[in-house]
Amino acid sequence: MRKGLVLEGGALRALFTAGVIDVMMENGITFDGLVGVSAGAAFGCNYKSHQPGRVIRYNKRYAHDWRYCSVRSWVKTGDLFNGEFDYHLLPDQLDVFDTKTFDASPMEYYAVCTDLETGKPVYKLLMQHGYECYEWIRASSSMPLAAKIVEVGGRKLLDGGIADSVPLKFFERKGYDKNVVVLTQPLDYIKKPNSLLPLFRLQLHRYPNFLRAVANRHEMYNEQTAYVRQREQEGAAFVIRPKEILPIKHLTHNPVLMQQVYDDGRKVMEERMNELKEFLKTT
């Protein structure tokens, strides 16, 4: 039996996920592999480094620092979430990422990106830290319009959620047969077409396959969440999701709201911990 953890993105909605996975780590829950999309990748790497509390700590600490996330950063660097500050200076010096534990952990850690040339998902296995590892995570989290194209591994990449928002099927294909899925939207959420598509076409007109993926993303997402529900009902997946729409947008500079969403994730996971342990039992 291979146990997998699948983390949806959603920018700062994923602070809910951070609360969920911190409670898992505090209770000694382990997985053979983790696949994260966008903020799910950026926050989920702390599972492999075993650093509960780190995500909420640095988000609150740098909530008002223009270098972390701001229009000023976007104008100066092309990235709303500053690439050099967030993915290199912060983990290397300001809130140090435990690279020794990350490298020693046998847990497979995948970050999902979208290839601009093909419009298809790229699943990158990252087992060792380093500059390139952090660039793959940055690429997974780089939202169109809000970020520059990230070139790494010979590819041009952006937000993994465009091509594969909830990669449960990917993990099942990799042989993970006991999967825990953490979503950042409630059960009845239906994604609608992207209203920013005309702006995407202006910025990324040289990448028609990527634009097709953007145009079809809502259909892909709704099909994936329907599949997650099916696997949940079949007892093949354990799904953790907010009980209602989270009181946070993609972005916020309000540490109180950040803490609230994080605490919501902790509460949901604490309430369901016994269920989770039962699901993960080897049969």
Side-chain angles (χ1 to χ4, degrees), residues 76-131:
K76 287 175 69 71
T77 71
D79 291 312
L80 192 67
F81 284 90
N82 188 300
E84 187 60 33
F85 182 86
D86 296 353
Y87 294 95
H88 300 289
L89 181 62
L90 195 156
D92 288 343
Q93 299 181 31
L94 302 179
D95 196 318
V96 177
F97 187 60
D98 187 344
T99 57
K100 183 177 180 180
T101 299
F102 182 91
D103 291 354
S105 170
M107 184 179 77
E108 294 183 343
Y109 165 74
Y110 290 87
V112 184
C113 306
T114 301
D115 187 306
L116 268 76
E117 301 285 0
T118 66
K120 301 295 184 181
V122 178
Y123 307 96
K124 181 62 176 179
L125 176 62
L126 300 168
M127 295 300 291
Q128 300 290 305
H129 83 283
Y131 189 91

Side-chain angles (χ1 to χ4, degrees), residues 14-280:
L15 289 171
F16 172 88
T17 303
V20 169
I21 63 177
D22 279 1
V23 172
M24 289 182 184
M25 284 189 275
E26 291 162 5
N27 280 269
I29 302 298
T30 60
F31 295 92
D32 300 299
L34 181 155
V35 57
V37 181
S38 193
F43 295 171
C45 64
N46 294 280
Y47 214 117
K48 186 170 168 66
S49 67
H50 197 75
Q51 290 178 277
R54 182 171 178 267
V55 171
I56 187 62
R57 181 174 64 241
Y58 72 68
N59 272 280
K60 290 173 64 178
R61 179 178 179 184
Y62 296 104
H64 295 293
D65 191 319
W66 74 267
R67 297 170 299 170
Y68 182 61
C69 175
S70 68
V71 173
R72 181 179 174 185
S73 171
W74 183 59
V75 171
K76 287 175 69 71
T77 71
D79 291 312
L80 192 67
F81 284 90
N82 188 300
E84 187 60 33
F85 182 86
D86 296 353
Y87 294 95
H88 300 289
L89 181 62
L90 195 156
D92 288 343
Q93 299 181 31
L94 302 179
D95 196 318
V96 177
F97 187 60
D98 187 344
T99 57
K100 183 177 180 180
T101 299
F102 182 91
D103 291 354
S105 170
M107 184 179 77
E108 294 183 343
Y109 165 74
Y110 290 87
V112 184
C113 306
T114 301
D115 187 306
L116 268 76
E117 301 285 0
T118 66
K120 301 295 184 181
V122 178
Y123 307 96
K124 181 62 176 179
L125 176 62
L126 300 168
M127 295 300 291
Q128 300 290 305
H129 83 283
Y131 189 91
E132 185 169 305
C133 171
Y134 300 157
E135 286 293 280
W136 278 99
I137 297 171
R138 178 166 80 93
S140 179
S141 306
S142 291
M143 298 178 289
L145 302 182
K148 297 179 297 187
I149 295 169
V150 179
E151 297 191 30
V152 60
R155 298 173 182 268
K156 296 179 179 180
L157 304 166
L158 281 174
D159 184 359
I162 299 297
D164 193 347
S165 297
V166 190
L168 174 58
K169 287 185 178 180
F170 164 71
F171 246 25
E172 290 179 338
R173 291 195 301 270
K174 296 295 291 184
Y176 288 92
D177 46 12
K178 280 270 186 174
N179 290 297
V180 176
V181 182
V182 184
L183 303 178
T184 58
Q185 297 285 11
L187 179 61
D188 58 354
Y189 176 77
I190 301 295
K191 185 175 283 295
K192 297 178 181 178
N194 195 319
S195 62
L196 296 177
L197 184 57
L199 294 179
F200 285 26
R201 288 182 173 135
L202 285 174
Q203 183 195 48
L204 299 164
H205 58 90
R206 291 179 294 174
Y207 305 103
N209 291 325
F210 181 82
L211 291 173
R212 273 192 287 274
V214 173
N216 296 329
R217 186 190 178 193
H218 63 291
E219 296 177 355
M220 174 270 293
Y221 181 88
N222 294 332
E223 289 173 0
Q224 287 187 328
T225 52
Y227 180 74
V228 168
R229 288 195 296 273
Q230 174 190 326
R231 298 299 281 161
E232 181 181 26
Q233 291 165 358
E234 292 169 349
F238 186 93
V239 184
I240 304 154
R241 52 173 73 85
K243 295 178 181 179
E244 55 190 22
I245 294 287
L246 293 169
I248 196 170
K249 303 297 183 183
H250 277 78
L251 305 174
T252 185
H253 297 284
N254 184 345
V256 174
L257 186 55
M258 291 178 179
Q259 186 70 49
Q260 179 184 341
V261 172
Y262 171 81
D263 288 343
D264 285 347
R266 289 191 62 91
K267 181 179 179 181
V268 169
M269 189 66 263
E270 286 166 354
E271 290 173 350
R272 301 194 64 198
M273 181 53 65
N274 289 337
E275 291 179 66
L276 176 63
K277 289 179 177 179
E278 186 64 30
F279 173 79
L280 291 174

